[in-house]
Amino acid sequence: MGDEEPTTDGRRARGQKRRADIIDATLTVVQRDGAAGVTHRTVAREAGIPTSLTTYYFASLDDLLVAALTSVADAYTERIRHIIDHDGDKLRGLAELIAETAGPGRERALAERELSTLAARRPALRPAARRWRDNVAELARTRTSDPEAAEALVAVADGLCAAILLGDDKADPGRIHAVLIRALNGARRAT
């Protein structure tokens, strides 16, 4: 009886690793080929596993896409949670996170953007797609109780990410910070 627990835990750990590898392969396919390139076969090829394993862990393409988008949303949630929970200028932290879209975070941000856009047509993706906006709104509420100001900050943060992904320029965290402050303060004066 005592021998079963380590075997079960080992199997569970291998299963979790396999699942994570499949999600990473899905994100790689989205980054390279777009969401339209995601099939069980292309993900399996990218992960170096049989197609039957991708369908074992993710029965449908929606399951696979939701897991991939959730993975990205979890990473953003962790980063924004850190910004919210620690002292310092919350908007500067958000500006630095947004600026990463032009650098080391570009590929993941591009995959997240594509999957979020796909959520408009695929309802199963919508809860995960909303998480970035929900997290930014929570951050905004640390600076204001005005719902329009929080909504303005969410819209501007979202727009800045899209603009950075569309451009080839380096993102300047100082400029992004200034725009975020303007959005937060400008919404209060617009009434």
Side-chain angles (χ1 to χ4, degrees):
M1 191 80 82
D3 291 333
E4 285 184 37
E5 286 183 37
T7 303
T8 302
D9 287 345
R11 254 186 265 148
R12 179 175 291 128
R14 283 190 304 277
Q16 288 171 341
K17 181 178 179 339
R18 178 64 48 90
R19 191 175 195 286
D21 290 346
I22 293 168
I23 291 169
D24 284 343
T26 303
L27 288 169
T28 299
V29 171
V30 171
Q31 291 164 6
R32 184 186 60 231
D33 305 330
V38 174
T39 65
H40 283 285
R41 184 171 312 238
T42 59
V43 170
R45 189 175 318 124
E46 184 64 38
I49 60 173
T51 303
S52 60
L53 279 176
T54 64
T55 58
Y56 173 79
Y57 286 98
F58 303 97
S60 71
L61 280 182
D62 273 358
D63 293 341
L64 193 55
L65 293 169
V66 166
L69 183 54
T70 299
S71 169
V72 174
D74 287 348
Y76 280 128
T77 296
E78 185 177 320
R79 297 284 306 278
I80 292 176
R81 193 74 262 146
H82 180 80
I83 294 166
I84 291 169
D85 293 341
H86 289 82
D87 291 336
D89 184 344
K90 314 281 186 231
L91 292 183
R92 181 155 309 278
L94 181 59
E96 291 168 0
L97 179 59
I98 291 169
E100 288 179 18
T101 301
R106 181 175 177 75
E107 295 303 319
R108 290 287 169 137
L110 187 58
E112 185 271 340
R113 179 65 52 162
E114 179 145 359
L115 291 170
S116 291
T117 300
L118 184 62
R121 294 185 187 271
R122 295 177 99 151
L125 291 169
R126 289 180 188 159
R130 287 186 186 112
R131 293 216 5 239
W132 161 258
R133 297 176 61 81
D134 293 344
N135 287 320
V136 173
E138 183 180 349
L139 186 145
R141 288 189 295 273
T142 68
R143 297 278 311 256
T144 183
S145 59
D146 179 358
E148 283 98 18
E151 189 174 335
L153 186 71
V154 171
V156 167
D158 214 28
L160 285 166
C161 288
I164 291 168
L165 286 171
L166 291 171
D168 294 326
D169 299 336
K170 281 275 191 194
D172 174 16
R175 185 188 66 76
I176 294 169
H177 183 246
V179 171
L180 293 174
I181 289 171
R182 180 77 172 236
L184 196 60
N185 293 336
R188 288 189 212 131
R189 283 181 272 176
T191 58

